[in-house]
């Protein structure tokens, strides 16, 4: 009797577990981004930015001490030495991309035991107005002292009256110019500031611009981010869409730069002078010397942009100011991408989107929508560089192959390996066709780039390099 009862009880228990497992397997698992967002909010609300404190915060979110939590925290802390309170979304994406979490989530799906977010903390408050870390700049005297200039020198370099643009060429010019021709495309103008102006601009970059929060979508010219981090966001996608902004720096106008400084909480006079220091209007004699290339409409648009005050391509402040001026564009494009469950990143003027079936179905309409948003924000897409690539062809973002994981194009790897082999056989001088002054450092740089994307390929190239007799 007892044995039979036990048998029936065990049978019912087994059946119950089977039913429960089936129900649990149908429970939708929180996405890694949802888990990352909950953990990011908990981490930013923690008592201290240390591994023990973050571990306690993570346990509260998950209601258990998961094995992958500690490795995730140890991976996050070096990337964010201080709490990124104005970049909660960036922290969430960084957590979501951590390999321990990605692997754990995949295993949980297969086992039918999804990772649950038991407690979802609210989003942390972000700083507004003047950031505490910015220097106190109550007037132009404070700005001149910060840049180690006299008031007269500050006024001269800011050139808010555009006197320099109308002056004759000579040693008093603030910029030097160099036109770069590009086959079949509109030429590019490099505007290189003089040494003293460049020193002042670097001070602006270090003491003001690098202290401002940057949108999570921007991966160019941002400490801790790179072309690799941006490309990695698009790995393994069904479709990758790449677009390009035409005349990127030239279309960031002085009013937009002024708005960046005012949004940072700086007084009007300071923002006005800083805008003069960081923007430039090209003299007519330089514009009229534009070499051939591109169609008439593109050439006219570039001449018009260069004649107005804009970010000069060559100033150290231009990349950071471009990122700041595009925060609204980045936010709108990120929202447009989220409508189709797509991912968006930007590296300088390269826009990249990736996603699954929803994006595949409406790729053409999606690109048209991106174009409307870009036009509305005062920029223009370069139609000739728009690419829509499915998983069956090579997908690349900023020149990095992303079909399965970030990698170098096979052709580039083979070409570099051939150069190294020929250097070992015939000597390095035989392969330095472009006349690099330090060809050894040049090759090491290319090998390091390949190794950052693919360690195995990097090791193979390094072995070839070690055979060279220098």
């Amino acid at each position: 009797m007892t044995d039979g009862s036990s048998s029936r009880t065990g049978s019912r228990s087994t059946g119950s577990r089977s039913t429960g497992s089936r129900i649990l397997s149908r429970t939708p698992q929180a996405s890694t981004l949802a888990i990352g967002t909950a953990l990011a909010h908990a981490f930013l609300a923690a008592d201290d930015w240390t591994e023990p404190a973050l571990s306690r915060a993570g346990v509260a979110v998950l209601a258990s001490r998961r094995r992958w939590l500690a490795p995730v925290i140890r991976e996050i802390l070096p990337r964010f030495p201080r709490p990124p309170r104005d970049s909660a979304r960036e922290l969430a994406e960084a957590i979501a991309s951590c390999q321990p979490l990605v692997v754990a989530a995949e295993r949980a799906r297969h086992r039918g035991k999804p990772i649950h977010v038991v407690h979802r903390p609210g989003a942390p408050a972000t700083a507004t107005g003047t950031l505490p870390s910015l220097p106190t700049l109550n007037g132009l005297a404070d700005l001149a002292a910060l840049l180690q200039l006299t008031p007269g020198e500050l006024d001269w370099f800011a050139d808010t009256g555009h006197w320099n643009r109308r002056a004759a060429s000579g040693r008093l010019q603030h910029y030097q110019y160099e036109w770069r021709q590009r086959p079949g495309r509109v030429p590019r103008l490099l505007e290189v500031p003089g040494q003293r102006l460049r020193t002042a601009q670097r001070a602006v970059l270090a003491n003001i611009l690098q202290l401002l929060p940057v949108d999570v979508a921007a991966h160019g010219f941002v400490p801790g981010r790179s072309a690799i981090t941006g490309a990695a966001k698009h790995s393994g996608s069904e479709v990758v869409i790449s677009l390009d902004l035409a005349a990127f720096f030239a279309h960031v106008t002085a009013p937009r730069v002024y708005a960046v400084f005012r949004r940072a909480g700086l007084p009007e006079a300071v923002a006005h002078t800083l805008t003069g220091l960081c923007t430039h209007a090209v003299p007519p004699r330089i514009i009229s010397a534009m070499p051939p290339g591109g169609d008439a409409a593109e050439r006219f648009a570039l001449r018009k942009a260069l004649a107005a005050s804009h970010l000069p391509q060559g100033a150290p402040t231009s990349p950071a100011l471009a990122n700041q001026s595009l925060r609204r564009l980045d936010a709108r494009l990120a929202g447009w991408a989220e409508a189709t469950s797509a991912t968006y990143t930007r590296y300088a003027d390269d826009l990249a989107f990736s996603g699954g079936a929803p994006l595949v179905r409406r790729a053409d309409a999606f690109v048209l929508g991106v174009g409307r948003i870009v036009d509305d924000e005062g920029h223009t897409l370069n139609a000739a560089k728009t690419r829509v690539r499915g998983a069956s062809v090579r997908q690349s973002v900023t020149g990095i192959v992303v079909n399965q994981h970030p990698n170098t194009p096979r052709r580039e790897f083979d070409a570099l390996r051939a150069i190294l082999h020929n250097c070992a056989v015939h000597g390095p001088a035989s392969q330095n066709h472009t006349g690099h002054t330090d060809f050894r450092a040049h090759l090491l740089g290319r090998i390091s780039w390949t190794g950052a994307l693919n360690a195995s390929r990097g090791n193979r190239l390094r072995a070839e390099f070690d055979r060279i007799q220098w």
Side-chain angles (χ1 to χ4, degrees), residues 6 161 163 167 291 349 423 440:
S6 298
W163 299 105
D349 55 355
C423 284
R440 187 177 188 275

Side-chain angles (χ1 to χ4, degrees), residues 299-319:
R299 293 172 63 82
F300 175 78
L302 180 59
R303 283 197 296 266
K304 183 178 179 181
L306 293 176
S309 291
H310 62 280
L311 290 181
Q313 185 165 345
T317 46
S318 292

Side-chain angles (χ1 to χ4, degrees), residues 236-259:
S237 300
E238 291 187 40
V239 64
V240 173
I241 300 175
S242 303
L243 305 104
D244 180 79
L245 298 177
F248 177 50
F249 289 120
H251 281 97
V252 180
T253 61
R256 290 179 180 271
V257 174
Y258 175 78

Side-chain angles (χ1 to χ4, degrees), residues 447-469:
I447 293 171
S448 297
W449 170 251
T450 302
L453 292 168
N454 188 315
S456 176
R457 286 185 174 180
N459 291 337
R460 291 163 63 186
L461 292 176
R462 183 61 199 233
E464 288 284 348
F465 178 86
D466 291 339
R467 296 175 52 228
I468 301 174
Q469 297 294 323

Side-chain angles (χ1 to χ4, degrees), residues 79 90 93-94 97 215-237 240-242 342-348 350-354 395-403 405-407 449 452-453:
R79 295 178 61 180
E90 179 183 350
E93 291 201 355
S97 65
D215 193 276
V216 67
H219 286 262
F221 319 114
V222 181
R225 307 181 207 172
S226 65
I228 298 176
T229 62
K233 300 288 185 182
H234 305 283
S235 296
S237 300
V240 173
I241 300 175
S242 303
T343 298
Y344 162 66
T345 64
R346 178 179 57 80
Y347 186 89
D350 291 319
L351 314 180
F353 302 86
S354 63
Q395 299 169 326
S396 64
V397 175
T398 58
I400 299 172
V401 177
V402 295
N403 289 72
H405 56 80
N407 206 348
W449 170 251
L453 292 168

